[in-house]
Amino acid sequence: MSKQQPAQFINPETPGYVGFANLPNQVHRKSVKKGFEFTLMVVGESGLGKSTLINSLFLTDLYPERIIPGAAEKIERTVQIEASTVEIEERGVKLRLTVVDTPGYGDAINCRDCFKTIISYIDEQFERYLHDESGLNRRHIIDNRVHCCFYFISPFGHGLKPLDVAFMKAIHNKVNIVPVIAKADTLTLKERERLKKRILDEIEEHNIKIYHLPDAESDEDEDFKEQTRLLKASIPFSVVGSNQLIEAKGKKVRGRLYPWGVVEVENPEHNDFLKLRTMLITHMQDLQEVTQDLHYENFRSERLKRGGRKVENEDMNKDQILLEKEAELRRMQEMIARMQAQMQMQMQGGDGDSGALGHHV
Amino acid sequence: MSELVPEPRPKPAVPMKPVSINSNLLGYVGIDTIIEQMRKKTMKTGFDFNIMVVGQSGLGKSTLVNTLFKSQVSRKAASWNREEKIPKTVEIKAIGHVIEEGGVKMKLTVIDTPGFGDQINNENCWEPIEKYINEQYEKFLKEEVNIARKKRIPDTRVHCCLYFISPTGHSLRPLDLEFMKHLSKVVNIIPVIAKADTMTLEEKSEFKQRVRKELEVNGIEFYPQKEFDEDLEDKTENDKIRQESMPFAVVGSDKEYQVNGKRVLGRKTPWGIIEVENLNHCEFALLRDFVIRTHLQDLKEVTHNIHYETYRAKRLNDNGGLPPVSVDTEESHDSNP
């Protein structure tokens, strides 16, 4: 037992005291030593400020040498998946954060295929985890599954676009979706409220399952309950990102400088950046749990139901399946014929009992 | 539409300058009063102006048009229902208004294109727009070749097309390039950067530079086109506009707020009020002056003398040099009141 417990620790001399109340602290110490892993995927059209927001959230620069392609190059490009990992340490706690970026999403004139790449990436990570979990060496499984997906909604529209709806419906059973309204400084407060309400209505209308913050437990303190309530009321979060320091009201703040004023990133009256960060940090554990208990389990049961055969192409038509089944049947028949021949030989050579056909198989 | 017309665009027919003898007038004749006579005529007859707005939904097209003409002339005003769904195909909606200022009447038609660029598959979504523009040319052509012509042919041709670019801060989108490539040959396109209050001053100038470069690299001639500058004066003026101001980064608003004792059109945010007509905030005033106060007539002339003539030449060529007279003229004749 460690000696560095806070004062509220129960006196070990109290009769009836066993000591397993210390377990959470042990778990805590172990996880701190092991470090946390978290994979965050960001999806949205180009130019919505995704990279800037990620840099602002984690106060780092994940994209140091970035070249933004012009429109003519974008015509030819398909959606790419780019994963960058960064190790952040704060007060002894290590976080191995992987940010999965999806450049090219929503750029093409015809975006029909733009989410296939993303969905197969998510499935691949699940597949790999399933394989590792069923394997022999389970001590060092690396968890690359996508725990959370920030979906960036453009503030310029009147709500969700057809592409937004189609994409979210395609992945809401595979990953936790957190919708985020980007570039929130484009909107006045009234426009923001209207847009949020519109988006929530459309999400309900299309039965899209976004990530729901768990309600605060009844034994949490009032502050935490209030905070959770506020967070839940602000979804989808409308954010502004920036890592530039601007002088405002005598102090240096991170923000954007306009001729008509300064937008402060960390001012809750200007945008929901702080709320988004709080949500992500306090619910990192929960996001991982939901990924494990809900999305991964869904994937796993589907996969195991399909059987050991790895289905490469989802839309294998019936003819192909029939052909394969016929080939399998033929092989079985050949095997039976071979065994029969063997038995015949044995019979001729040995005893006269007629080998029972199809004894095993 | 494939580019079958290899011949150069027909330049406006400029008659040979007659050899003139510079004679000194011995006294005041009064020739200059013709300007006043023309002005009076224009005021009485009024004029048509048709402006089309194209861009993804939510870029502020309707608000900008309302702000430009300082009245509720757009689709937004015509329908109360703000809960409109995105249409499945591109629709063309033309709304006409008559507005008057200083005794001059203008019949303004705003042509809106809801549904452009909003679908998952936006291939060829410019085709309905191109078709509409050509239909207006066709209508005008039919009237022109009619045996009994109207005194003043109603002009429904699109004089100006404002194309709204989304302020991503990165570059143009592939759809923007495709649209402008196809339509800059049939109509005057003025690219406009929408919702410019998203960008700081540096981001704005960087973005504009990048957009200008992309347009140049891809050979897109937006209005004012270089090849139609008539004289040196026009050229220098237009060069300045082309290379420095365009595309205009605008903000639109139809709400008024009190700033420094004056009532201004603007947008109120928790961190300040964005004034639409303040040149330090956005370039709306430049766009307005450009389209309405200085180049309105030129837009109409370029449409009539160049785009329309190109269309007409192509139609006549297709017909073997004959005007498209057919049974249709009978119909249009009957439909004339």
Side-chain angles (χ1 to χ4, degrees):
Chain A
M1 269 210 273
S2 71
K3 292 281 182 215
Q4 59 214 67
Q5 296 312 312
Q8 69 225 44
F9 189 53
I10 299 172
N11 190 335
E13 301 310 318
T14 317
Y17 171 73
V18 179
F20 58 80
N22 196 21
L23 186 61
N25 294 322
Q26 294 180 26
V27 172
H28 176 253
R29 254 180 58 239
K30 280 222 163 178
S31 2
V32 165
K33 269 209 304 191
K34 197 171 78 161
F36 294 92
E37 276 175 332
F38 194 77
T39 305
L40 172 68
M41 178 180 262
V42 282
V43 184
E45 291 174 355
S46 340
L48 282 183
K50 302 185 292 288
S51 314
T52 312
L53 184 72
I54 297 296
N55 286 344
S56 312
L57 268 177
F58 299 104
L59 285 173
T60 173
D61 188 6
L62 256 103
Y63 311 95
E65 290 146 14
R66 206 171 157 220
I67 311 167
I68 299 174
E73 289 139 357
K74 282 195 209 159
I75 291 182
E76 296 304 318
R77 214 160 62 136
T78 51
V79 179
Q80 317 281 320
I81 305 276
E82 285 173 6
S84 359
T85 308
V86 71
E87 299 221 349
I88 310 176
E89 180 168 334
E90 195 181 54
R91 295 198 209 157
V93 181
K94 283 199 269 287
L95 171 68
R96 201 166 148 272
L97 171 76
T98 307
V99 176
V100 179
D101 204 352
T102 53
Y105 175 84
D107 277 346
I109 298 183
N110 183 356
C111 293
R112 233 184 352 214
D113 295 330
C114 91
F115 33 94
K116 282 209 184 119
T117 321
I118 300 175
I119 294 181
S120 36
Y121 177 81
I122 298 177
D123 281 342
E124 255 172 52
Q125 305 313 309
F126 280 152
E127 183 77 39
R128 202 177 304 174
Y129 194 84
L130 177 62
H131 183 260
D132 287 348
E133 205 185 40
S134 333
L136 294 173
N137 183 2
R138 304 214 296 188
R139 286 189 70 202
H140 300 288
I141 303 181
I142 300 177
D143 185 5
N144 270 329
R145 297 171 297 185
V146 180
H147 300 116
C148 177
C149 172
F150 280 178
Y151 189 76
F152 283 71
I153 299 171
S154 169
F156 307 130
H158 290 305
L160 293 177
K161 297 208 183 105
L163 180 61
D164 299 339
V165 174
F167 180 78
M168 287 202 271
K169 285 192 85 151
I171 67 164
H172 65 167
N173 282 323
K174 294 180 189 284
V175 79
N176 298 316
I177 302 181
V178 176
V180 171
I181 300 175
K183 294 198 169 177
D185 52 351
T186 318
L187 307 165
T188 63
L189 286 179
K190 243 201 278 180
E191 290 168 348
R192 202 182 297 181
E193 291 309 312
R194 212 181 328 149
L195 184 63
K196 281 192 187 182
K197 186 173 178 310
R198 185 85 190 262
I199 291 177
L200 287 173
D201 287 343
E202 287 181 337
I203 286 178
E204 204 183 301
E205 187 188 321
H206 290 106
N207 286 327
I208 297 172
K209 298 183 215 137
I210 59 175
Y211 172 70
H212 286 290
L213 289 156
D215 285 321
E217 307 275 314
S218 49
D219 57 351
E220 302 276 2
D221 60 41
E222 275 308 312
D223 279 340
F224 187 74
K225 279 198 214 166
E226 178 65 21
Q227 185 193 68
T228 312
R229 212 182 49 80
L230 264 174
L231 286 181
K232 284 178 91 104
S234 309
I235 291 182
F237 298 115
S238 57
V239 293
V240 174
S242 169
N243 266 341
Q244 278 182 318
L245 287 170
I246 314 277
E247 183 92 24
K249 298 179 208 143
K251 52 189 176 97
K252 279 205 181 281
V253 286
R254 284 191 301 148
R256 289 170 62 74
L257 175 65
Y258 290 110
W260 47 86
V262 175
V263 179
E264 297 168 45
V265 166
E266 285 167 352
N267 184 336
E269 285 172 29
H270 287 189
N271 72 92
D272 297 333
F273 175 81
L274 282 181
K275 294 202 184 87
L276 178 66
R277 192 167 66 182
T278 311
M279 187 219 84
L280 185 63
I281 303 293
T282 54
H283 291 92
M284 222 180 243
Q285 181 69 12
D286 185 62
L287 283 163
Q288 282 180 328
E289 267 179 38
V290 175
T291 308
Q292 166 77 27
D293 297 339
L294 181 63
H295 301 298
Y296 174 67
E297 288 302 318
N298 269 342
F299 174 82
R300 187 171 167 277
S301 52
E302 283 291 307
R303 192 62 182 73
L304 295 181
K305 258 194 262 179
R306 274 208 305 265
R309 212 187 58 217
K310 189 160 182 211
V311 182
E312 295 285 342
N313 192 357
E314 286 281 323
D315 18 62
M316 255 207 295
N317 51 3
K318 292 211 167 69
D319 296 329
Q320 239 178 319
I321 299 178
L322 238 112
L323 277 170
E324 279 196 20
K325 290 259 183 251
E326 280 179 13
E328 238 185 283
L329 213 77
R330 238 178 297 133
R331 267 186 304 226
M332 294 275 161
Q333 284 175 336
E334 279 171 20
M335 219 162 55
I336 294 175
R338 259 199 310 252
M339 281 183 349
Q340 267 189 306
Q342 261 185 357
M343 297 231 161
Q344 291 272 345
M345 278 183 4
Q346 275 181 358
M347 265 171 34
Q348 279 166 10
D351 307 330
D353 61 304
S354 47
L357 254 170
H359 175 52
H360 92 97
V361 160
Chain B
M1 290 193 47
S2 57
E3 291 130 22
L4 297 167
V5 189
E7 65 253 11
R9 314 267 295 274
K11 289 263 193 282
V14 178
M16 280 252 301
K17 285 220 170 82
V19 178
S20 59
I21 314 161
N22 240 344
S23 48
N24 289 328
L25 295 173
L26 301 170
Y28 174 66
V29 179
I31 302 174
D32 58 354
T33 57
I34 191 162
I35 298 185
E36 184 62 30
Q37 296 169 30
M38 277 173 63
R39 218 176 66 82
K40 274 215 195 102
K41 234 344 175 20
T42 316
M43 271 175 62
K44 269 211 292 195
T45 50
F47 61 101
D48 299 338
F49 189 64
N50 306 319
I51 183 168
M52 176 184 261
V53 282
V54 184
Q56 288 182 309
S57 79
L59 281 181
K61 306 185 291 289
S62 311
T63 311
L64 186 72
V65 172
N66 285 348
T67 320
L68 263 178
F69 296 102
K70 286 226 170 85
S71 41
Q72 304 286 323
V73 290
S74 74
R75 166 177 66 112
K76 189 172 97 161
S79 62
W80 271 107
N81 184 14
R82 276 316 252 150
E83 304 302 314
E84 295 167 12
K85 296 286 178 189
I86 295 176
K88 291 286 180 207
T89 54
V90 179
E91 296 174 354
I92 311 277
K93 290 202 177 133
I95 301 175
H97 292 260
V98 176
I99 50 184
E100 183 174 331
E101 189 185 59
V104 180
K105 272 208 218 32
M106 173 158 96
K107 183 166 173 297
L108 171 72
T109 307
V110 177
I111 302 147
D112 205 344
T113 53
F116 177 83
D118 288 329
Q119 309 308 321
I120 297 183
N121 181 357
N122 290 314
E123 268 166 11
N124 301 327
C125 67
W126 52 83
E127 274 175 7
I129 299 174
E130 205 176 339
K131 189 158 149 260
Y132 176 84
I133 294 174
N134 285 332
E135 272 170 10
Q136 307 315 307
Y137 289 151
E138 184 66 32
K139 240 191 254 181
F140 197 86
L141 181 62
K142 284 225 178 78
E143 271 302 323
E144 237 190 7
V145 304
N146 222 342
I147 300 171
R149 285 205 287 225
K150 285 209 192 104
K151 190 166 89 161
R152 213 178 130 242
I153 306 177
D155 191 359
T156 53
R157 299 170 298 188
V158 179
H159 300 124
C160 165
C161 174
L162 289 182
Y163 187 78
F164 284 69
I165 299 172
S166 182
T168 56
H170 287 187
S171 65
L172 289 174
R173 309 178 84 229
L175 179 61
D176 302 339
L177 271 186
E178 283 302 303
F179 177 86
M180 287 198 268
K181 259 197 215 158
H182 282 93
L183 290 214
S184 55
K185 302 191 185 86
V186 292
V187 74
N188 296 321
I189 294 191
I190 298 183
V192 160
I193 299 175
K195 298 205 168 175
D197 54 344
T198 315
M199 298 185 285
T200 61
L201 289 177
E202 299 141 10
E203 291 169 351
K204 210 188 297 190
S205 66
E206 263 179 42
F207 185 53
K208 279 170 65 149
Q209 256 182 343
R210 229 172 302 164
V211 168
R212 269 198 293 264
K213 193 147 171 290
E214 278 200 313
L215 290 175
E216 195 184 315
V217 160
N218 284 286
I220 295 173
E221 283 272 351
F222 50 86
Y223 179 85
Q225 294 95 334
K226 272 192 221 132
E227 36 180 349
F228 306 141
D229 285 336
E230 285 176 1
D231 51 31
L232 192 58
E233 192 189 317
D234 275 352
K235 192 169 177 325
T236 39
E237 189 193 333
N238 286 342
D239 267 347
K240 190 163 173 300
I241 296 175
R242 272 190 295 261
Q243 282 153 19
E244 289 172 18
S245 325
M246 286 187 87
F248 298 110
V250 295
V251 175
S253 169
D254 41 16
K255 296 199 174 62
E256 286 187 335
Y257 294 98
Q258 193 92 328
V259 172
N260 292 340
K262 302 187 295 166
R263 286 199 72 76
V264 287
L265 285 173
R267 286 168 63 71
K268 184 155 190 256
T269 61
W271 46 89
I273 296 184
I274 305 160
E275 297 167 45
V276 164
E277 282 166 341
N278 182 339
L279 277 173
N280 291 329
H281 289 190
C282 77
E283 293 163 3
F284 170 77
L286 289 180
L287 173 70
R288 181 199 51 206
D289 292 348
F290 180 68
V291 172
I292 300 181
R293 294 182 193 174
T294 53
H295 285 72
L296 190 68
Q297 185 60 22
D298 189 50
L299 279 164
K300 292 177 55 148
E301 274 179 15
V302 172
T303 309
H304 180 68
N305 293 333
I306 300 189
H307 296 296
Y308 171 68
E309 288 299 319
T310 313
Y311 178 82
R312 183 170 168 277
K314 194 165 166 301
R315 279 290 266 122
L316 294 186
N317 267 337
D318 288 347
N319 257 6
L322 296 167
V325 179
S326 60
V327 192
D328 309 36
T329 39
E330 293 292 334
E331 288 175 346
S332 58
H333 210 74
D334 286 345
S335 62
N336 287 347

